Amino acid sequence: MKVRIRFSKTGALVYISHLDIMRYFQKLFRRCDIPVRYSEGFSPHQILSFSNPLPLGMESTGEYADVELTEPVSSEEALRSLRAQTVPEIEIMSFKELDASSENAMAAVKYARYTVKTKDPDVCDIIPDCIRKLTEAENVTVVKKTKKNETEINIRPLIAELAFDNKDNIINMLISSGSTDNIKPELVMKALASFANMTFKKNDLEIKRIDQYTISDGRIISLDEIGTWIQ
Amino acid sequence: MNDLALSKEILLSVEKPARYIGHEVNAVYKDPDGLIRFAMCFPDLYEIGMSHLGIQILYDMLNSFDDVWCERVYSVWTDLHAIMKDKDIPLFAIESQDNIRDFDFLGITLQYEMCYTNILQILDLSKIPFYSKDRTDADPIVICGGPCAYNPEPVSPFFDLVYIGEGETSYRLLLDLYKSCRKNGYDRSDFIRKAGKIPGIYAPSMYETSYNDDGTIKEFKAIYDDMPLKIEKEIVSDLSDTYYPLKPVVPYIKATQDRVVLEIQRGCIRGCRFCQAGSVYKPIRARDEKKLEGYAREMLANTGHEEISLSSLSSSDYPALEDICNYLIDEFAGKHINISLPSLRVDAFSLDVMSKVQDIKKSVMTFAPEAGSQRMRNVINKGLTKDDILNGCRQAFLGGWTRVKLYFMLGLPYETEDDMIKIAELSNDIAMLYYDTIPKQERRTKVSIVSSTSFFVPKPFTPFQWAKMNTMDEFRYKAHVVNEAMRRQLNYKSIRYNWHAADVSVLEGIFARGDRRLAKVLVRAYEKGCMFDAWTETFSFEPWKEAFEECQVDPAFYYNRERSYDEILPWDFIDIGVTKKFLIRENENAKQGIVTPNCREKCSGCGAAKYHGGVCYES
């Protein structure tokens, strides 16, 4: 049985790396006696994979782990024991069965939603105007830095939603994510700032990943909606 | 949850920020109101400190007391050290993230001499004065313990109290005394003086040492008449009935020991004459096997670790070894839990067990003959003959092993050039044995022998505590002799030879048998930037050399000098049970290569029987 788990990562745990989160889940499953399937061979390991790694320092309420089980466990029972054993900063939000044919979380991710909070009041004043300009533009070219080189890309088609909540001063964006057209929320912020001829200081922005999405029948839906509740 | 002591900007700029944030599974959080705050420190990196069973036991014990909250603190790596110094950020405990200086106690474990400068880093970053005499009521009581506390003198000016022996027994008394002193108008020096009368607790500031013209100790005496002149080590007489950490903290980052550790016994029956642990932990005491089975189940369930390891100085001497091994294999081997069995003597039983729990193709068979010649093994009382080693290797080869690791020491007392050459010859004999034992058509691969030598460091409370340690040049010459001898061996292509750095060994030797006059050298070395001296990437000998010169302390006096039996040694005020008379007798036996039987074969009257426990009372 293939299972998808949605979890959050908040508070002090944002300093735990992706690799260590994998180790955390391996030990969590053993503490809970979840019947995880192990690979064959002399050094067997749990058949476990994760969605797009979260950068160090970022909070998220939409992280996913896919794991294979040797026998079925009900969602209710699994959630009860996982929640009893996990630390408060990693909340286990759901535990659902996946079709044997479904893509794993990493391959399925096409979009991610982020919120960006800024502490600078001057920035808040100009943001709505910048968002309007960006949304109206057909071409928004930014320089994307990779490990090897810099390339210019048009990020406009990669932004599905972009809005500003002036009550809480939060920018909300739904942007391309995953193995093909991945862009970072920082890049969108850079583009936004360029419409006001300014730059943001990295540490003034509080970015949070809200959820990750895939495309099903032409619709953008949460990875959480793919699985089904196990009775 | 508390906010973190370090900003996001800082945490994201240092290596492995997870070292400093706490919040691990099984970490203990309490409401601090009205509690005694205890900061327990392992003065090295988090990954090292988190792997230490002793700290886990004490953390568990202290937190089992309702009136105490024990938290952890570790050395901060050089990257964060620079930031904390630059931005004037005080050192904090991992759980509450509160400043160490605001704690009631700061406990520091002394596991090896090369962490002594790290103690100063902890004090420095905590803004606690280095020297006990400079502290006020605003500072915590700084206490140390652990194996190096058996000669605390080089660091004793930094500590208000020193706990000598096993930590399970006297802490409750100390905490009760602290509470009563706190109630009645706290006076720091009054508390320290009273604490110095608790069994196993030494208050260095209540004693003074005077010296002869030649630098040796003239007298060690108490400042007050009511202070004890001998401090007797504390031990747990019944190990089956004491604290055990059934819910150890599970680190997020990979610790050096990322596994459940099951201490099956404490102490050792073998009287190896170079070994301090064998002496200070006497007598050997075993834990009840049935209890250990329960511990193993609970600890695996509470941590989710995928490996369990037995811990002891010599597992093969544990009376119920077969039972515990069989239990672990039957119960856990099918549940994807690795079983690791270090310090096993190689025999039919252990080979059978190991073949069940390891991949023979990948695993390495380890032997510690410690010396190359039989004569030298008799000198050090390593009760292992060449036949034992060759038989063990033959069985291992027949069982499918092809890789052998051998550990030796160079610079042992009464060593000759022939003893050194025999290290190479023994390595060659083992390689030869492989080719004689395994027919050509059955050989999967070449045999691989890795021989390593470390340099012998004489330690307090061993029969070699009076010995002259070699100089760096002598050590390097001896390693050269072995290396040359290796090249002459027929099978030298199957043998790899490694030797340790001589400079670190010499420093270890100086501090192992040092006295109070070395404290200022440590402070000077720290001021010159020495830290993490146990790490090759951070160790540098040059500043140490300067520190000794500037403090006008001659290192040779401490390491490169033979002591006479009547010299007062800096650690003579400590009573470990094992008597000086016994140690002298053992040193004389060493000179003549006379082997002393182990504790189960025959009692040699070392003195540890006064603890009324363990092997001394097995019938």
Side-chain angles (χ1 to χ4, degrees):
Chain A
M1 177 191 266
K2 254 166 98 176
V3 162
R4 175 162 296 164
I5 294 168
R6 178 177 179 172
F7 64 96
S8 71
K9 187 181 171 206
T10 55
L13 279 247
V14 301
Y15 303 106
I16 307 300
S17 71
H18 183 68
L19 201 72
D20 291 329
I21 289 293
M22 286 177 64
R23 282 167 25 84
Y24 174 82
F25 272 91
Q26 289 163 3
K27 290 184 198 284
L28 175 65
F29 293 143
R30 278 192 293 264
R31 284 198 298 278
C32 297
D33 258 332
I34 301 279
V36 176
R37 185 181 296 283
Y38 281 74
S39 65
E40 303 291 321
F42 197 84
S43 49
H45 52 269
Q46 296 184 353
I47 302 178
L48 172 66
S49 66
F50 287 78
S51 59
N52 217 5
L54 189 69
L56 210 63
M58 194 184 288
E59 287 195 320
S60 172
T61 53
E63 297 302 295
Y64 293 91
D66 292 351
V67 62
E68 278 189 39
L69 307 184
T70 54
E71 53 189 276
V73 186
S74 80
S75 295
E76 196 185 330
E77 197 186 315
L79 284 173
R80 193 184 323 116
S81 84
L82 288 166
R83 284 171 180 163
Q85 288 289 343
T86 190
V87 292
E89 297 88 347
I90 291 183
E91 192 195 336
I92 308 298
M93 302 166 77
S94 72
F95 185 98
K96 291 178 181 173
E97 181 175 2
L98 292 178
D99 281 351
S101 62
S102 32
E103 281 181 303
N104 67 36
M106 185 65 206
V109 175
K110 296 290 181 284
Y111 285 93
R113 183 179 298 284
Y114 296 90
T115 55
V116 183
K117 214 172 173 173
T118 164
K119 294 161 198 159
D120 188 342
D122 295 343
V123 172
C124 297
D125 290 345
I126 57 150
I127 283 287
D129 193 44
C130 293
I131 289 183
R132 189 180 48 77
K133 284 177 179 159
L134 188 146
T135 328
E136 285 169 4
E138 268 174 30
N139 232 307
V140 181
T141 309
V142 288
V143 177
K144 187 180 174 183
K145 278 183 196 161
T146 62
K147 272 174 199 153
K148 280 183 192 144
N149 53 10
E150 292 183 353
T151 47
E152 281 199 347
I153 57 161
N154 174 17
I155 62 166
R156 183 61 195 88
L158 307 180
I159 302 171
E161 283 177 29
L162 185 60
F164 181 64
D165 171 355
N166 58 6
K167 207 165 80 230
D168 297 321
N169 295 334
I170 289 174
I171 299 158
N172 191 314
M173 60 176 85
L174 182 66
I175 58 178
S176 281
S177 179
S179 34
T180 40
D181 288 319
N182 192 53
I183 55 166
K184 292 179 178 172
E186 289 89 341
L187 204 64
V188 178
M189 291 309 291
K190 193 174 146 190
L192 271 183
S194 71
F195 284 99
N197 288 322
M198 58 182 291
T199 50
F200 295 132
K201 282 196 217 86
K202 199 181 163 205
N203 288 308
D204 286 348
L205 302 175
E206 204 183 297
I207 306 176
K208 188 172 174 178
R209 182 144 85 189
I210 302 300
D211 199 1
Q212 299 177 77
Y213 302 81
T214 188
I215 299 176
S216 172
D217 299 332
R219 278 195 318 130
I220 298 177
I221 60 164
S222 167
L223 286 185
D224 203 11
E225 286 179 46
I226 302 292
T228 49
W229 184 261
I230 314 159
Q231 290 302 324
Chain B
M1 281 298 165
N2 296 289
D3 284 333
L4 298 175
L6 300 171
S7 70
K8 184 173 183 176
E9 195 181 355
I10 293 174
L11 282 165
L12 289 180
S13 70
V14 300
E15 197 183 295
K16 298 193 186 171
R19 286 167 178 160
Y20 313 109
I21 60 163
H23 293 88
E24 305 97 327
V25 168
N26 296 338
V28 178
Y29 285 81
K30 293 187 180 185
D31 176 359
D33 193 34
L35 301 186
I36 299 175
R37 304 287 299 271
F38 201 115
M40 188 61 83
C41 171
F42 190 107
D44 209 317
L45 274 189
Y46 175 91
E47 296 94 305
I48 310 290
M50 283 300 291
S51 306
H52 186 250
L53 179 66
I55 291 269
Q56 291 173 18
I57 292 175
L58 294 180
Y59 181 79
D60 179 69
M61 177 191 80
L62 290 168
N63 279 321
S64 76
F65 302 151
D66 289 339
D67 53 351
V68 181
W69 183 12
C70 176
E71 305 179 43
R72 294 159 296 149
V73 57
Y74 300 100
S75 304
V76 302
W77 187 239
T78 49
D79 55 354
L80 181 57
H81 176 92
I83 294 170
M84 290 174 80
K85 289 295 271 185
D86 181 48
K87 297 195 188 294
D88 201 28
I89 300 168
L91 186 64
F92 51 90
I94 284 182
E95 281 85 352
S96 65
Q97 303 269 313
D98 289 340
N99 294 349
I100 296 297
R101 191 162 186 237
D102 298 332
F103 277 65
D104 296 287
F105 287 90
L106 168 60
I108 301 181
T109 181
L110 308 180
Q111 293 294 321
Y112 30 85
E113 291 81 2
M114 298 319 289
C115 75
Y116 285 174
T117 49
N118 287 18
I119 298 169
L120 298 175
Q121 181 211 31
I122 297 284
L123 295 172
D124 181 25
L125 292 180
S126 303
K127 300 173 189 286
I128 298 169
F130 288 152
Y131 291 102
S132 168
K133 63 178 168 58
D134 298 329
R135 292 182 197 137
T136 67
D137 287 359
D139 296 300
I141 295 293
V142 186
I143 180 169
C144 68
C148 291
Y150 285 100
N151 176 24
E153 287 304 82
V155 290
S156 69
F158 308 141
F159 290 98
D160 304 313
L161 298 171
V162 178
Y163 189 122
I164 292 161
E166 297 169 2
E168 289 99 333
T169 53
S170 273
Y171 267 113
R172 191 60 257 179
L173 293 172
L174 183 69
L175 296 164
D176 288 339
L177 175 70
Y178 182 75
K179 275 169 81 172
S180 85
C181 286
R182 272 285 174 196
K183 234 181 254 166
N184 311 315
Y186 182 68
D187 175 80
R188 186 183 177 85
S189 60
D190 174 61
F191 167 71
I192 290 172
R193 186 170 164 186
K194 285 178 175 145
K197 294 175 197 166
I198 293 176
I201 301 218
Y202 163 53
S205 60
M206 301 292 144
Y207 300 84
E208 56 188 18
T209 310
S210 56
Y211 302 93
N212 297 309
D213 292 342
D214 64 0
T216 57
I217 294 173
K218 188 175 175 190
E219 194 185 17
F220 172 88
K221 65 170 191 193
I223 293 170
Y224 304 104
D225 290 343
D226 59 344
M227 298 309 290
L229 284 174
K230 276 271 178 191
I231 312 287
E232 200 178 326
K233 81 168 179 196
E234 278 295 299
I235 70 163
V236 180
S237 44
D238 183 3
L239 265 189
S240 296
D241 186 24
T242 180
Y243 306 93
Y244 206 80
L246 298 179
K247 291 183 85 174
V249 179
V250 185
Y252 293 106
I253 49 175
K254 207 169 161 57
T256 319
Q257 291 252 22
D258 181 34
R259 54 184 76 95
V260 164
V261 178
L262 212 52
E263 187 195 35
I264 54 176
Q265 59 188 356
R266 209 175 280 177
C268 185
I269 58 170
R270 305 190 175 262
C272 297
R273 294 181 178 126
F274 54 84
C275 181
Q276 188 188 35
S279 226
V280 298
Y281 296 119
K282 266 188 168 49
I284 195 171
R285 289 145 292 147
R287 289 185 193 267
D288 177 69
E289 195 264 328
K290 285 287 164 218
K291 277 204 172 175
L292 288 173
E293 291 180 4
Y295 292 172
R297 277 194 309 272
E298 269 193 69
M299 291 170 81
L300 285 166
N302 290 337
T303 58
H305 281 315
E306 60 181 340
E307 185 168 343
I308 182 163
S309 171
L310 298 185
S311 163
S312 77
L313 290 168
S314 164
S315 299
S316 295
D317 297 323
Y318 180 61
L321 183 72
E322 295 205 24
D323 294 341
I324 189 77
C325 286
N326 289 333
Y327 174 79
L328 294 178
I329 291 168
D330 294 348
E331 188 75 17
F332 304 118
K335 294 182 182 165
H336 302 290
I337 288 170
N338 297 321
I339 297 162
S340 118
L341 306 164
S343 65
L344 275 189
R345 195 167 45 237
V346 176
D347 56 22
F349 166 72
S350 63
L351 285 171
D352 178 50
V353 166
M354 282 186 263
S355 68
K356 283 180 190 155
V357 301
Q358 311 175 328
D359 181 359
I360 294 170
K361 282 181 196 159
K362 286 187 203 142
S363 72
V364 185
M365 193 56 68
T366 305
F367 292 89
E370 309 293 359
S373 69
Q374 192 58 48
R375 189 197 76 85
M376 202 62 211
R377 282 194 295 274
N378 292 347
V379 167
I380 62 177
N381 206 41
K382 180 86 191 177
L384 188 70
T385 65
K386 187 172 176 180
D387 280 349
D388 292 336
I389 299 166
L390 293 182
N391 282 335
C393 288
R394 183 178 297 114
Q395 291 180 49
F397 293 147
L398 288 169
W401 277 269
T402 56
R403 294 163 66 191
V404 176
K405 226 190 242 176
L406 301 166
Y407 290 108
F408 299 96
M409 274 187 276
L410 279 176
L412 286 160
Y414 323 116
E415 181 182 51
T416 66
E417 197 144 321
D418 180 61
D419 298 318
M420 303 167 210
I421 292 167
K422 287 262 169 27
I423 291 175
E425 292 177 1
L426 181 61
S427 307
N428 184 62
D429 288 347
I430 293 171
M432 196 93 98
L433 181 72
Y434 175 78
Y435 296 110
D436 290 345
T437 310
I438 307 297
K440 197 167 184 178
Q441 60 278 15
E442 287 171 29
R443 290 176 209 155
R444 276 188 295 115
T445 169
K446 257 175 51 176
V447 69
S448 139
I449 314 281
V450 179
S451 294
S452 305
T453 58
S454 60
F455 295 120
F456 170 64
V457 178
K459 293 279 165 109
F461 293 112
T462 65
F464 295 155
Q465 64 177 353
W466 295 277
K468 180 177 179 175
M469 183 173 157
N470 287 160
T471 62
M472 277 186 245
D473 285 343
E474 286 167 331
F475 279 141
R476 286 180 189 129
Y477 172 73
K478 289 181 176 186
H480 172 76
V481 168
V482 177
N483 201 27
E484 288 301 302
M486 289 285 185
R487 288 161 177 273
R488 293 194 298 270
Q489 302 304 315
L490 191 62
N491 290 294
Y492 80 98
K493 280 186 177 163
S494 303
I495 307 170
R496 219 176 66 216
Y497 173 53
N498 307 315
W499 61 95
H500 283 201
D503 44 12
V504 185
S505 303
V506 163
L507 269 184
E508 189 186 326
I510 294 165
F511 290 103
R513 292 186 295 167
D515 57 37
R516 287 185 180 197
R517 291 169 294 183
L518 289 178
K520 60 179 186 291
V521 181
L522 287 165
V523 171
R524 184 61 64 93
Y526 176 72
E527 287 165 354
K528 287 176 176 293
C530 294
M531 260 196 303
F532 290 102
D533 295 302
W535 294 73
T536 39
E537 63 260 56
T538 39
F539 178 75
S540 165
F541 190 66
E542 209 43 46
W544 279 102
K545 221 170 115 186
E546 291 167 17
F548 278 101
E549 278 163 19
E550 287 165 23
C551 295
Q552 294 179 305
V553 170
D554 174 19
F557 173 82
Y558 292 100
Y559 81 98
N560 192 226
R561 175 176 72 89
E562 187 174 352
R563 280 86 164 153
S564 71
Y565 288 146
D566 52 17
E567 179 176 333
I568 298 172
L569 303 171
W571 53 92
D572 274 352
F573 70 95
I574 296 171
D575 175 5
I576 64 155
V578 176
T579 61
K580 199 177 223 184
K581 217 174 94 192
F582 174 78
L583 296 176
I584 291 172
R585 195 163 82 216
E586 278 296 282
N587 190 32
E588 292 303 316
N589 284 341
K591 287 179 190 169
Q592 300 179 38
I594 298 172
V595 173
T596 300
N598 75 47
C599 298
R600 285 216 174 88
E601 289 166 346
K602 182 175 173 288
C603 174
S604 301
C606 73
K610 75 171 184 179
Y611 287 104
H612 300 288
V615 68
C616 311
Y617 291 84
E618 285 171 9
S619 52

